[in-house]
């Protein structure tokens, strides 16, 4: 890659680093947020769930906007919105204020993230150069998430509000660098409102919002309410399909969904992200509320799981070139099964040495899964649909996050019902920790279908 190419990649990596650090710092801070704002466990998941709702609900629209309105334009504009509302979360005095700020921050990420990834996948030619850029990009996101665990712990010790204030300065620097370094694109062809698939955008966004809402709200409402929301989502999806078949410039060309690698990558992303975020949510509650560890101790305990920040840009490219995406992803998923399985029988008095194997294996698993899945989801996709392919993948990651949080919360709350003892709390955590194991096993099955490919094709899962 040229010096200019590295500079652009650096800016885009800065944005995904910012997103990673923003998410993980909030994850460490949730018990402190609960203590000050008086939120229940079910309400507490909305601090993360609201972000996911905005992210997952608007992602398809964000990805297509990048393709139609300009990737640089969307990236810069929504990075600015991300900065503003990420900072506003620190001023919240009620739970609903924080949740609202997180929702809008998620919407900003829904437009910013696919624009950033599609800049990479369109600027670097398909093959080793793009694979390297994507793996560096993925590794940087992982590094942000990992560093956020420690920084979030340090800031939460001071005041949890700094978890939202601190990223603003860094984000401002990234914004200035993006304006200076990312080349201005050719002005998009002027389009009338009729050329935009407004009906498709409305029905797709409504369907995704209702689906993510149904998943996130499931632990708090009756099964009837959840089913009604799911049925409403399905109805919007059906209308969306009808619309996409009839409009001249659809939001989603339905033919893109015939790509087996793309579909497998997205389903595996849903299951894998859900397993990790569900595990992290329970782990933080276990360490801080049962074991009474401080936020800083919690962050340091999870720090070793960030080994993927080193492995992703160094070891993973070698493995992909040698064995192909699908085998690397499958190996990473199997390691994930082992990692979560080892933690299921957690005890009240576990030493950190007993937890350490799980933490190490999670980092290895992420290094082998995240980047190769990103490559698989965008390989072979035409340039003018790279934003869409990126948006589909990010939607899957966020929907998986919502699904994982909702399921583990529902299982933990149900298992705890009627018991307020330390042993009852521990048993509820154990029950919830089964969910990540099952999710990753399902991802192994889905990815395994990718092994059936043409002889000699070692790069496409």
């Amino acid at each position: 890659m040229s010096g200019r190419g590295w500079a652009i990649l650096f800016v885009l990596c800065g944005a995904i680093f910012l997103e990673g650090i923003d998410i993980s710092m909030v994850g460490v801070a949730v018990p402190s947020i609960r203590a000050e704002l008086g939120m229940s466990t079910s309400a507490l998941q909305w601090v993360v769930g609201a972000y996911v709702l905005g992210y997952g609900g608007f992602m398809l629209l964000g990805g297509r906007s990048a393709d139609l309105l300009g990737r640089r334009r969307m990236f810069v504009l929504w990075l600015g919105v991300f900065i503003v509302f990420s900072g506003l979360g620190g001023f919240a005095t009620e739970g609903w204020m924080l949740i609202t700020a997180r929702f809008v921050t998620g919407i900003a990420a829904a437009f910013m993230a696919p624009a950033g990834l599609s800049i990479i996948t369109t600027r670097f030619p398909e093959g080793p150069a793009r694979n390297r850029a994507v793996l560096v990009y993925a590794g940087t996101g992982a590094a942000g998430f990992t560093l956020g665990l420690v920084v979030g712990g340090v800031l939460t010790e001071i005041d949890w509000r700094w978890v939202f204030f601190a990223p603003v300065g860094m984000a401002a620097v990234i914004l200035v660098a993006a304006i200076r370094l990312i080349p201005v694109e050719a002005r998009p062809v002027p389009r009338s409102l009729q050329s935009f698939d407004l009906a498709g955008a409305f029905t797709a966004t409504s369907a995704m919002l209702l689906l993510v809402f149904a998943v996130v709200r499931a632990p708090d409402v009756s099964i009837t309410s959840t089913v009604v929301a799911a049925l409403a989502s399905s109805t919007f999806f059906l209308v969306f399909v009808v619309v996409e078949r009839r409009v001249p410039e659809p939001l989603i060309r339905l033919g893109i969904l015939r790509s087996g690698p793309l579909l497998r990558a997205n389903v595996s992303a849903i299951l894998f992200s859900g397993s990790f975020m569900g595990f992290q949510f329970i782990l933080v509650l276990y360490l801080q509320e049962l074991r009474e560890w401080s936020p800083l101790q919690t962050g340091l305990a999870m720090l070793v799981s960030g080994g993927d920040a080193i492995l992703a840009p160094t070891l993973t490219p070698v493995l992909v070139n040698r064995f192909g995406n699908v085998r690397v992803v499958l190996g990473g998923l199997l390691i994930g099964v082992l990692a979560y399985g080892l933690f299921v029988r957690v005890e009240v008095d576990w030493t950190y040495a007993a937890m350490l194997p799980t933490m190490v294996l999670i980092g290895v698993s992420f290094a082998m899964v995240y980047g190769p899945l990103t490559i698989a989801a965008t390989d072979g996709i035409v340039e003018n649909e790279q934003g869409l392919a990126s948006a589909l993948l990010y939607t899957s990651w966020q929907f998986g996050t919502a699904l994982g949080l909702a399921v583990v919360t529902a299982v933990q709350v149900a298992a705890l019902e009627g018991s307020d003892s330390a042993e009852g709390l521990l048993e509820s955590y154990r029950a919830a920790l089964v969910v990540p194991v099952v999710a990753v096993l399902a991802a192994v099955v889905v990815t395994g279908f990718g092994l059936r490919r043409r002889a000699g094709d070692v790069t496409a899962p």
Side-chain angles (χ1 to χ4, degrees), residues 29-353:
V30 287
S32 299
I33 293 171
R34 182 220 291 269
E36 181 166 336
L37 300 185
M39 303 174 74
S40 66
T41 299
S42 295
L44 192 64
Q45 71 154 336
W46 274 98
V47 176
V48 178
Y51 179 88
V52 173
L53 183 64
Y55 205 150
F58 287 84
M59 181 63 71
L60 292 176
L61 183 59
R64 197 57 181 151
S65 296
D67 289 333
L68 296 177
L69 300 178
R71 298 177 179 93
R72 179 186 184 274
R73 183 175 292 104
M74 290 294 99
F75 179 81
V76 169
L77 171 64
W78 288 99
L79 177 56
V81 177
F82 186 93
I83 292 170
V84 171
F85 281 88
S86 182
L88 284 177
F91 292 105
T93 56
E94 299 285 345
W96 68 266
M97 296 179 183
L98 179 57
I99 289 169
T100 300
R102 295 302 291 165
F103 177 67
V104 180
T105 304
I107 294 175
F111 283 83
M112 179 183 72
L117 181 56
S118 62
I119 289 172
I120 292 176
T121 56
T122 54
R123 182 169 182 86
F124 301 102
E126 189 172 316
R130 182 189 294 179
N131 290 351
R132 185 179 186 185
V134 169
L135 290 172
V136 170
Y137 183 76
T140 305
F145 190 91
T146 302
L147 183 59
L149 297 173
V150 180
V151 175
V154 173
L155 294 176
T156 304
E157 290 282 0
I158 302 171
D159 191 323
W160 64 263
R161 297 178 185 280
W162 281 101
V163 165
F164 299 95
F165 294 146
V168 173
M170 173 188 167
V173 173
I174 295 171
L175 180 60
V176 172
I179 293 172
R180 291 180 61 86
L181 293 173
I182 299 177
V184 177
E185 302 162 302
R187 196 170 189 83
V189 176
R191 296 171 180 269
S192 64
L193 281 178
Q194 288 75 17
S195 66
F196 285 92
D197 182 13
L198 296 180
F202 173 76
T203 52
T205 301
S206 298
M208 289 304 304
L209 283 171
L210 284 167
L211 182 58
V212 177
F213 182 80
V215 170
V216 173
R217 284 283 293 164
D220 303 325
V221 299
S222 67
I223 185 65
T224 302
S225 298
T226 300
V227 170
V228 169
L231 288 175
S233 174
S234 300
T235 301
F236 274 110
F237 271 122
L238 290 174
V239 175
F240 171 72
V241 171
V242 173
V243 169
E244 299 308 277
R245 290 182 178 276
R246 296 184 177 182
V247 296
E249 294 187 52
L251 181 67
I252 297 178
R253 183 181 62 83
L254 297 180
I256 197 175
L257 301 179
R258 298 192 187 103
S259 168
L262 181 145
L263 284 178
R264 285 191 294 273
N266 279 270
V267 173
S268 295
I270 290 172
L271 296 167
F272 186 71
S273 63
S275 68
F276 176 74
M277 293 305 296
F279 173 80
Q280 186 204 13
F281 185 73
I282 296 299
L283 176 65
V284 169
L285 294 181
Y286 164 73
L287 292 177
Q288 294 191 33
E289 299 196 338
L290 183 62
R291 300 292 300 275
E292 297 184 346
W293 287 23
S294 69
L296 177 57
Q297 289 174 311
T298 301
L300 290 173
M302 294 188 288
L303 178 62
V304 70
S305 65
D308 58 331
I310 299 172
L311 297 176
T314 55
L315 177 61
T316 304
V318 176
L319 295 177
V320 169
N321 290 335
R322 175 65 179 85
F323 300 106
N325 281 329
V326 67
R327 289 189 174 90
V328 175
V329 171
L330 191 59
L333 292 173
L334 289 171
I335 291 173
V337 173
L338 177 61
Y340 298 132
L342 289 173
F343 211 88
V344 168
R345 297 312 302 170
V346 63
E347 298 288 347
V348 173
D349 58 350
W350 258 21
T351 63
Y352 184 64

